[in-house]
Amino acid sequence: MEIFNARDVVKQFSNHLALDNVSITVPEGSIFGLLGPNGAGKTTLIRIINQITAPDSGTLLFKGKKLHPNDIYEIGYLPEERGLYRKMKVGEQALYLAQLKGLSKKNALKKLKYWFEKFEIQPWWDKKVEELSKGMQQKVQFIITILHEPKLLIFDEPFSGFDPINVKILKEEVLALQKKGATIIFSTHDMGSVEELCNHITLINRAKIILEGPIDEIRKTYATHEYEVVFDGEVNLLTATLSSRYKIIEHTKHNGQSIVRIKLMNDFSTNDLMKSLLSAGTLKSFNELVPKMNEIFINVVGEANSEDNKE
Amino acid sequence: MSKISIIIKREYLARVRKRSFIIMTLIAPLLLAAMFVVPVWIMTQEDTDLKKIAVIEEGTQIFNGIIPNTQYLKFEYLQNTSLDEIKNNFTDLGYYGILFISPKITYIPNAVQLISTKQPPLETTMHITNALEKEIERLKLETYNIKDLDQILKEIDTQIKLQTIKITEDGTEKETSTGIAMGIAYISGLLIYMLTFIFGAQVMRGVIEEKTSRIVEVIISSVKPFQLMMGKIIGIALVGLTQFFCWVIITFAILSVAQSILVPDMESIPQSPVPENIMSSSPVANTQPAEIQELSEVQQIFNNLGSQNWAVIIGSFIFFFLGGYLLYASLFAAIGSAVDNETDTQQFMMPITIPLLLALFVAMGAFQNPESSVAFWFSLIPLTSPVVMMARIPFGVPGWQIGISILLLILTFLGTTWMAAKIYRTGILLYGKKPTYKEMWKWLRYKI
């Protein structure tokens, strides 16, 4: 079941094409990573989902139905460039923005009280926003975004500007929201948190989607079949290499240990590899070198760009 | 509660609670009152020094004792003194100036000089010329040898004070005063001009604030940009009206206090002092009803203030303020949305400033001549009509003209708001480069 669908969305600005026949499918209950280099069209797509701008052409479906203006009550949006009224008091402001999202005053107060207590920020209620630090302001804004319990949450770089402790708290909060049934579209340049949180990703480059799918499948596709093996003491792996069933990419010695990066050849399984390694020395650890999202990102975008440039 | 009313409420409360709003609301009527009181006060302060003026006649003594002394002017008629003798040391002798009268005065009008180290005030020179003119006239009349001349002169001495009376359609008569009408026209025209600018600029600053603080993207993911813009414009309009009503109430309070101090026996004076007998009475001054003659200047002002049709003036003021404000506020909002900071607004302010300034200039002319064709046309053209029409209304304007003016104003307001909304919704999301007029023109045709 998908919560949001975009089909063949085109958005042209006066001097450039922001989205070129973009289609995305956001599975319900997933954390959906929306990735891409700067200026790729992510923000435009997010604004279209939020009905801030309309596409020139294309279909948008929310819960299987054509996107309706009232659907914004079920969507929560934390923009990358965020801010609050500086001169307005925190509590009043949160209440105001919650009411704009369709909550009644009473209901909004109740919910705000819960979240302010949970984040232990009740003393900020009567402070003006300008008196808060940037991180504090972002925390308030995070609460405002999720307060109306939207079905679909859109976070654009939600963790920037936070210290590691707060990042951890917020990540837990994001996962908790997912557990409660919310779907999260998560746009970021931080590939570490993509690996940590996302189930599904879409990579936009130059107004087009160049990669999409469940994150584990993508990582499998881009797997290099490389392993890192650590031995105690020195080892000689020359004979096994000669069999051309695997290839040693790198062999370093560090603190009396040998660290070897090995690439498996096609018909060789990890079990076979293990067997041949056991004879070489005392095995300390054996790990598959799963491709980092970072590398996939750089490779895929780089490839796409060089193809574009050829044309 | 609908979205737009939530926005209106926030915009309204955020401003009304500000200290600057409260101070401005209380102080403006005092400033306005000061505008009337200070000139009067200065006038009374000016001439408290006694000025001694030496009068020297060449050869004759025709004018000896002719110029009457006043509270602040004393004339000393020096005989056997020539001008040259005291010309250089009259200040040492305690004189403010020397009035030198040549005998040629009867046929050469400028054969009289007032020599002083300072520029003498108009009042002083008028006093002297009036007295001399009168005396020379008298002397000339005497040469005709008319019998009982003094008696005749006394009897024909007439003083007229023109009372202007406006008859409304239902036949009620009201004493009016051109001076008061001008005052009201001046204040209301200027006030509309100022309020449009002050509150229009508040709309613009509000939009810029939302844009630079980046809260705008959060808000327009909940409401339509048009709702946000209109909520802001209406909220600030209500702030303006609140302020205006406070001003009206405070001003009337000050006026009634001033009235009770300046004119304690106001109740005894008829509000519309046009008794039947004025119309039928002989033009001889002495037979006029005593009460009219005795009305002091101040009493007349208050009488006239009371006789103005305040309901029409305040009603049309509110309408034209709102109309003009709404028209310009949407343009101010469009400008605010197009720029990143207030310094960038200068270039785009021109199209707003020019018609408003023009309106003010035309309004200044309209105080003098409210029926002129310039005043007529500019009071119909929507960009200038609020200021100019308001300057004409206290003098009485035919209903159909007000009707056309209102209709055009409403139509134009709808047009500018529609246009501004299109610029606004594009502008608020764009940062960086200041757009050109050409780009803004393109925004008008964007699909959302």
Side-chain angles (χ1 to χ4, degrees):
Chain A
M1 172 74 185
E2 298 103 37
I3 190 155
F4 186 84
N5 266 335
R7 272 185 222 136
D8 305 322
V9 169
V10 176
K11 179 74 186 178
Q12 168 86 50
F13 288 117
S14 56
N15 41 18
H16 82 286
L17 188 60
L19 294 172
D20 182 5
N21 278 303
V22 165
S23 300
I24 62 164
T25 302
V26 183
E28 188 163 10
S30 67
I31 297 185
F32 184 93
L34 186 59
L35 316 178
N38 296 321
K42 293 184 306 261
T43 304
T44 306
L45 182 58
I46 288 174
R47 283 178 179 170
I48 285 172
I49 300 171
N50 277 300
Q51 303 181 65
I52 291 172
T53 42
D56 297 337
S57 66
T59 342
L60 302 164
L61 302 176
F62 185 72
K63 295 204 274 193
K65 279 184 216 140
K66 205 158 177 278
L67 190 64
H68 185 268
N70 281 344
D71 290 337
I72 52 169
Y73 298 119
E74 299 194 56
I75 299 178
Y77 175 36
L78 184 68
E80 180 180 8
E81 296 281 5
R82 42 191 164 257
L84 297 164
Y85 288 111
R86 296 180 55 73
K87 303 270 177 205
M88 209 174 170
K89 284 177 183 165
V90 172
E92 235 172 84
Q93 185 149 211
L95 208 52
Y96 171 63
L97 293 171
Q99 280 176 288
L100 289 185
K101 270 292 181 193
L103 290 182
S104 72
K105 198 171 176 182
K106 206 177 135 198
N107 197 5
L109 261 176
K110 203 178 82 192
K111 291 196 156 100
L112 279 170
K113 193 165 171 270
Y114 167 79
W115 282 103
F116 271 59
E117 271 168 19
K118 184 163 186 184
F119 280 16
E120 295 173 353
I121 56 170
Q122 304 98 308
W124 301 355
W125 186 269
D126 273 326
K127 277 197 178 155
K128 281 187 182 169
V129 168
E130 60 187 354
E131 295 170 52
L132 303 185
S133 73
K134 198 178 168 224
M136 289 159 130
Q137 290 182 26
Q138 300 219 42
K139 232 175 185 174
V140 173
Q141 204 142 22
F142 183 83
I143 294 175
I144 290 168
T145 310
I146 61 173
L147 196 72
H148 59 292
E149 292 170 7
K151 288 268 173 303
L152 177 63
L153 274 159
I154 301 167
F155 292 129
D156 199 347
E157 290 293 356
F159 307 127
S160 70
F162 280 115
D163 61 59
I165 297 168
N166 277 317
V167 169
K168 189 168 166 273
I169 294 173
L170 286 195
K171 277 181 182 167
E172 279 162 11
E173 225 40 76
V174 169
L175 289 170
L177 287 166
Q178 183 196 20
K179 221 173 192 177
K180 275 191 228 159
T183 309
I184 293 145
I185 294 179
F186 175 38
S187 172
T188 184
H189 290 136
D190 172 23
M191 293 303 141
S193 52
V194 171
E195 282 164 9
E196 203 176 327
L197 297 173
C198 292
N199 317 115
H200 220 274
I201 63 153
T202 284
L203 180 53
I204 303 185
N205 182 50
R206 295 188 181 173
K208 282 182 186 146
I209 287 179
I210 53 171
L211 181 68
E212 63 180 325
I215 194 159
D216 42 356
E217 278 177 28
I218 286 173
R219 293 178 83 172
K220 235 176 249 166
T221 319
Y222 286 86
T224 50
H225 306 287
E226 287 181 16
Y227 297 84
E228 188 186 74
V229 190
V230 180
F231 292 99
D232 219 3
E234 293 200 12
V235 287
N236 188 352
L237 293 167
L238 197 63
T239 45
T241 318
L242 285 174
S243 69
S244 78
R245 287 192 281 194
Y246 58 86
K247 199 165 98 192
I248 294 174
I249 295 167
E250 207 180 14
H251 188 163
T252 52
K253 294 186 179 82
H254 185 69
N255 290 344
Q257 289 182 333
S258 298
I259 302 153
V260 189
R261 261 179 79 185
I262 296 169
K263 188 177 166 70
L264 270 190
M265 294 302 141
N266 287 339
D267 55 343
F268 207 51
S269 77
T270 41
N271 281 4
D272 296 335
L273 177 63
M274 287 286 276
K275 272 181 211 155
S276 63
L277 289 175
L278 285 172
S279 56
T282 319
L283 199 60
K284 291 282 281 190
S285 73
F286 179 89
N287 281 311
E288 184 177 5
L289 290 173
V290 184
K292 292 263 188 285
M293 272 314 297
N294 211 19
E295 290 156 30
I296 298 175
F297 184 100
I298 291 169
N299 290 339
V300 174
V301 170
E303 240 166 69
N305 286 351
S306 64
E307 260 170 49
D308 275 5
N309 294 342
K310 262 183 237 162
E311 276 168 19
Chain B
M1 208 168 14
S2 80
K3 299 278 191 65
I4 201 158
S5 59
I6 298 172
I7 296 170
I8 292 170
K9 196 174 147 205
R10 192 207 84 87
E11 298 292 337
Y12 179 78
L13 288 178
R15 285 175 177 80
V16 169
R17 282 193 207 145
K18 267 193 198 156
R19 208 172 303 141
S20 56
F21 173 83
I22 297 165
I23 292 172
M24 205 41 211
T25 306
L26 296 178
I27 279 184
L30 294 177
L31 286 177
L32 199 68
M35 244 165 74
F36 292 104
V37 173
V38 170
V40 174
W41 181 75
I42 287 173
M43 259 157 61
T44 57
Q45 293 298 303
E46 215 167 38
D47 275 341
T48 48
D49 292 342
L50 182 69
K51 292 187 188 120
K52 271 203 306 181
I53 293 176
V55 184
I56 296 173
E57 281 185 69
E58 201 183 35
T60 58
Q61 281 172 23
I62 307 166
F63 298 103
N64 196 350
I66 286 305
I67 308 167
N69 291 333
T70 68
Q71 207 178 342
Y72 307 115
L73 287 174
K74 196 163 176 263
F75 294 92
E76 282 180 17
Y77 301 86
L78 304 183
Q79 282 137 27
N80 311 318
T81 315
S82 78
L83 178 63
D84 294 333
E85 268 175 58
I86 64 160
K87 200 173 184 176
N88 293 319
N89 63 345
F90 69 93
T91 41
D92 297 336
L93 294 169
Y95 292 114
Y96 173 78
I98 310 166
L99 184 68
F100 177 70
I101 307 169
S102 153
K104 293 179 207 150
I105 180 99
T106 48
Y107 52 93
I108 301 174
N110 56 5
V112 56
Q113 296 170 323
L114 181 62
I115 300 155
S116 175
T117 53
K118 290 174 200 146
Q119 176 63 39
L122 192 65
E123 236 182 319
T124 309
T125 59
M126 293 259 289
H127 179 73
I128 294 168
T129 39
N130 277 345
L132 290 179
E133 270 169 14
K134 239 180 176 172
E135 181 60 15
I136 293 165
E137 267 172 29
R138 199 188 60 80
L139 287 173
K140 283 180 179 169
L141 274 172
E142 245 174 23
T143 61
Y144 290 94
N145 285 321
I146 302 166
K147 210 181 143 217
D148 298 329
L149 180 67
D150 286 351
Q151 181 64 29
I152 294 169
L153 282 179
K154 211 173 177 184
E155 277 183 20
I156 63 167
D157 183 26
T158 316
Q159 283 200 342
I160 292 280
K161 191 146 197 191
L162 186 66
Q163 284 188 305
T164 50
I165 291 166
K166 208 156 75 178
I167 297 185
T168 56
E169 274 162 28
D170 57 2
T172 45
E173 293 175 1
K174 272 191 172 168
E175 191 191 1
T176 60
S177 153
T178 313
I180 297 284
M182 266 179 78
I184 294 169
Y186 179 78
I187 291 170
S188 41
L190 193 67
L191 213 54
I192 288 206
Y193 168 82
M194 278 173 22
L195 291 179
T196 304
F197 250 116
I198 292 171
F199 291 106
Q202 280 201 23
V203 170
M204 187 177 78
R205 269 199 299 274
V207 172
I208 294 175
E209 184 204 351
E210 274 163 4
K211 198 179 163 181
T212 50
S213 75
R214 311 270 175 163
I215 195 176
V216 69
E217 198 163 347
V218 176
I219 296 179
I220 60 169
S221 70
S222 311
V223 300
K224 291 212 159 54
F226 181 74
Q227 290 174 308
L228 177 60
M229 186 180 98
M230 281 320 286
K232 186 175 285 298
I233 289 175
I234 294 169
I236 293 175
L238 293 178
V239 174
L241 285 180
T242 308
Q243 194 150 50
F244 175 69
F245 279 119
C246 290
W247 285 350
V248 168
I249 291 165
I250 296 171
T251 307
F252 273 89
I254 291 175
L255 277 181
S256 50
V257 168
Q259 182 177 333
S260 64
I261 292 167
L262 295 169
V263 198
D265 55 346
M266 195 65 192
E267 296 78 41
S268 65
I269 297 160
Q271 282 295 308
S272 184
V274 198
E276 285 298 301
N277 59 343
I278 289 189
M279 304 305 184
S280 55
S281 65
S282 76
V284 179
N286 289 346
T287 58
Q288 280 190 6
E291 63 207 38
I292 293 226
Q293 230 180 9
E294 281 167 11
L295 280 180
S296 74
E297 207 64 14
V298 181
Q299 281 171 323
Q300 282 200 349
I301 288 174
F302 280 111
N303 250 11
N304 274 314
L305 281 176
S307 73
Q308 290 294 326
N309 195 345
W310 288 108
V312 170
I313 290 172
I314 292 180
S316 47
F317 181 90
I318 289 170
F319 180 84
F320 280 102
F321 160 63
L322 280 182
Y325 161 81
L326 289 174
L327 195 161
Y328 280 103
S330 57
L331 295 179
F332 272 110
I335 293 175
S337 74
V339 299
D340 286 358
N341 55 63
E342 225 176 314
T343 44
D344 280 348
T345 58
Q346 306 289 348
Q347 176 198 345
F348 300 113
M349 288 292 284
M350 279 266 279
I352 288 184
T353 319
I354 287 172
L356 267 178
L357 266 181
L358 190 67
L360 193 65
F361 285 132
V362 174
M364 293 294 175
F367 305 144
Q368 314 292 332
N369 189 1
E371 297 301 317
S372 73
S373 59
V374 176
F376 168 76
W377 285 109
F378 279 89
S379 65
L380 294 188
I381 297 169
L383 286 170
T384 54
S385 66
V387 175
V388 179
M389 190 53 106
M390 231 17 247
R392 287 182 64 203
I393 279 178
F395 300 99
V397 175
W400 65 270
Q401 289 185 16
I402 299 182
I404 291 178
S405 179
I406 285 176
L407 187 71
L408 287 176
L409 190 58
I410 291 174
L411 289 178
T412 314
F413 150 64
L414 293 176
T416 51
T417 307
W418 174 82
M419 199 176 82
K422 292 204 154 199
I423 293 176
Y424 177 84
R425 64 181 189 197
T426 307
I428 42 173
L429 289 173
L430 293 181
Y431 293 92
K433 204 172 123 287
K434 191 169 64 172
T436 60
Y437 281 114
K438 205 176 140 195
E439 280 167 300
M440 283 163 83
W441 177 248
K442 270 190 201 157
W443 298 355
L444 285 181
R445 288 171 297 162
Y446 271 172
K447 190 185 167 198
I448 302 189

